[in-house]
Amino acid sequence: MSGTELWRAPIESLAPRIADGQIDSVELFDCYAERIARLDGRLGAYVALSGLARKTAETARDEIRAGRYRGPLHGIPIAVKDNYTTSDMPTRAGQVAVKNEYPMVDGAAVARLRAAGAVLIGKTRMHEFAWGMETPPARNPWDEARTPGGSSGGSGVAMAAGLAAGALGSDTGGSIRIPASLCGCVGFKPTFGLIGRSGIIPHSWSLDTAGPLTSSVRDAALIASVMSGPDIADPGATGQILSLGTDVVNAGVDGMTIGLCRNHFFEALDEDVALSVEKRIEGLAAAGARIVEFSLPELACGLGAIFAIELASSTSYHALRLRDGRSEAMAPDVRLLVEMGRLVSAADYLHAERYRRTLCQRMAQVFSEVDIVLTPTSPLTAWPTGQSEVMLAGRRESALAASWRFTYPWNLIGAPAISLPCGKDRRGLPIGLQLVAAPQDDITALRCAAIVEAQLGGSALKIG
């Protein structure tokens, strides 16, 4: 691979070449910087670039040459979603009309990346305050008239177009996995609390989860492992560290039990999505996995529950902004949602939390019988930007409701879920496959995803 095509390589292949001196971190940084300068004016993945990034790459190069190699992220350019606070770049959480109002300090996850030697290249565009599924004006590299998804859309665009080696996102109801699915990359939502959230602008305290978007499953596991660990400023942090072993990449699925919930996750699907996912199920069965089907009628009430929790949480966070009239600066769609949270009563919220507990108990029973739940990530591929409704299985549905129908249940129970590309539709748009394991069992989700990725001959679907 020539130096100008380093952007095509996943971190897992770049890291050893940097470590042994075949390439250096400045050469790698310059490759991404050239692509950003050439492509991002059109694609809109970034809202800010770090003025210190190249200097950081130079420092990494010098440290590695001096024998002070810190590990596989040393010298690797990583993009950061605009709701993570950083010491060298402003944080606006997707706001356009408001200047930086957050401290310029590194949050826990960002600090761990810096300590590992990563080069934080820039801040990626997001849907304002992590609401919404379009991330305007970012464009999907596979079809620039279509949405990249949200709210971590800029990170999805950066990965699909080769504008970073890895990117950070946040996931409250699917905001990592949806852009990963629509843009053709890997998106990993770890167990709730595995990665500390101090320094991440809140959306919903009991749902928000930090995680990476990457070119491969191993890259996702690597970045998540570096960011995992204690965070005394986040009461929701588990303090656990994601320890990677050879089983993540080498173990097979022979003897693994994979569950399919046909009554929710396989209803009202785009035909191409259904065919692609069924092909992957067949592949796993052929590799020795046992496929079982189960039903979750409880999911019929799930969307209302998570929506009530999100609305109430977001409105609580923005209470002062609403009181002082500063919500008028918000985009109309976001302002409407933030103000709608005032209509969620205490009884509504408690009913939603009771439902959530019931779903957790029900899913604990499921995971006592299966190792993995497999679903499509999204029932459809990227839809035209600005289109508020989509047609699925002959019925009209809200694009917002459709896009997170298969992702939000796993936020409610705090389970690890990973999306990876599993093909393309007839228009050449990426299709995502979602694999979910029981809470705290992130390794099983990554292990199964690595097997699917190997069957597909690699995951990343990057635009040249």
Side-chain angles (χ1 to χ4, degrees):
M1 181 179 295
S2 69
T4 57
E5 292 191 341
L6 292 173
W7 60 273
R8 293 186 182 275
I11 297 170
E12 60 180 300
S13 64
L14 290 171
R17 297 173 66 192
I18 287 179
D20 65 16
Q22 292 183 47
I23 58 175
D24 69 53
S25 52
V26 177
E27 177 186 6
L28 182 61
F29 172 83
D30 286 345
C31 174
Y32 285 111
E34 184 277 330
R35 287 186 65 78
I36 292 169
R38 181 160 50 88
L39 299 175
D40 200 48
R42 190 176 79 241
L43 297 177
Y46 287 93
V47 292
L49 297 174
S50 172
L52 300 178
R54 197 173 195 278
K55 179 63 177 177
T56 304
E58 292 171 355
T59 300
R61 176 196 59 194
D62 295 343
E63 288 177 341
I64 294 166
R65 287 177 176 175
R68 299 195 301 274
Y69 182 61
R70 303 190 203 178
L73 290 186
H74 203 172
I76 299 294
I78 304 292
V80 181
K81 186 177 178 178
D82 188 31
N83 59 347
Y84 287 72
T85 62
T86 49
S87 59
D88 56 337
M89 293 173 280
T91 301
R92 295 187 175 90
Q95 298 175 93
V96 176
V98 178
K99 294 182 178 180
N100 177 44
E101 59 183 64
Y102 300 104
M104 291 186 66
V105 296
D106 290 338
V110 168
R112 285 200 169 94
L113 289 178
R114 287 202 203 272
V119 177
L120 303 187
I121 194 169
K123 303 295 280 287
T124 55
R125 195 177 302 277
M126 59 180 283
H127 208 111
E128 188 174 24
F129 289 118
W131 274 115
M133 291 298 166
E134 293 221 334
T135 317
R139 300 182 178 187
N140 192 315
W142 293 97
D143 181 342
E144 294 177 22
R146 294 176 183 270
T147 177
S151 63
S152 309
S155 291
V157 174
M159 293 312 303
L163 307 182
L168 304 188
S170 62
D171 194 309
T172 304
S175 290
I176 288 173
R177 290 160 290 157
I178 293 164
S181 179
L182 302 189
C183 292
C185 60
V186 174
F188 179 41
K189 183 200 84 67
T191 292
F192 176 80
L194 181 72
I195 298 171
R197 299 167 300 168
S198 64
I200 300 177
I201 310 308
H203 178 62
S204 177
W205 289 276
S206 66
L207 298 167
D208 295 344
T209 308
L213 293 90
T214 60
S215 295
S216 75
V217 172
R218 299 182 202 193
D219 286 4
L222 172 61
I223 294 177
S225 68
V226 168
M227 294 196 298
S228 67
D231 181 357
I232 60 173
D234 177 10
T238 64
Q240 296 181 339
I241 296 174
L242 180 62
S243 298
L244 303 181
T246 56
D247 59 329
V248 175
V249 293
N250 293 332
V253 295
D254 190 21
M256 182 179 286
T257 301
I258 295 176
L260 309 177
C261 179
R262 295 287 185 183
N263 74 289
H264 177 85
F265 295 101
F266 290 83
E267 296 174 344
L269 286 178
D270 175 89
E271 181 181 355
D272 292 343
V273 171
L275 289 172
S276 184
V277 171
E278 292 295 343
K279 188 177 295 185
R280 297 281 62 81
I281 295 169
E282 293 171 4
L284 287 166
R290 185 169 71 97
I291 309 298
V292 300
E293 297 189 8
F294 64 95
S295 177
L296 279 176
E298 298 89 344
L299 286 173
C301 303
L303 188 57
I306 194 170
F307 206 40
I309 293 169
E310 276 202 67
L311 285 170
S313 298
S314 180
T315 301
S316 174
Y317 175 70
H318 292 292
L320 290 178
R321 190 172 274 105
L322 289 167
R323 187 197 68 184
D324 298 341
R326 287 179 288 141
S327 63
E328 294 179 4
M330 295 178 179
D333 61 329
V334 176
R335 180 183 176 186
L336 174 63
L337 290 166
V338 169
E339 293 184 345
M340 277 175 60
R342 292 167 158 171
L343 304 177
V344 178
S345 68
D348 294 333
Y349 187 85
L350 288 172
H351 282 309
E353 288 291 359
R354 290 190 188 106
Y355 166 84
R356 187 179 188 180
R357 179 55 60 90
T358 298
L359 184 62
C360 286
Q361 293 170 340
R362 180 69 181 94
M363 287 309 305
Q365 296 173 353
V366 170
F367 281 118
S368 71
E369 300 173 2
V370 306
D371 301 298
I372 286 286
V373 173
L374 181 153
T375 82
T377 308
S378 171
L380 73 168
T381 54
W383 60 94
T385 299
Q387 181 175 302
S388 61
E389 294 184 327
V390 295
M391 290 293 295
L392 286 169
R395 76 181 191 196
R396 191 172 297 278
E397 186 175 358
S398 157
L400 174 63
S403 63
W404 69 329
R405 191 185 336 141
F406 300 159
T407 55
Y408 78 78
W410 315 117
N411 295 83
L412 281 170
I413 71 168
I418 186 167
S419 176
L420 67 159
C422 70
K424 296 179 184 177
D425 70 5
R426 66 196 70 186
R427 295 179 294 270
L429 300 171
I431 295 168
L433 177 74
Q434 180 175 229
L435 301 168
V436 187
Q440 315 300 330
D441 195 11
D442 299 71
I443 292 296
T444 295
L446 292 165
R447 170 189 164 194
C448 189
I451 296 303
V452 174
E453 182 177 73
Q455 290 179 344
L456 291 166
S459 277
L461 301 176
K462 290 188 178 181
I463 297 291

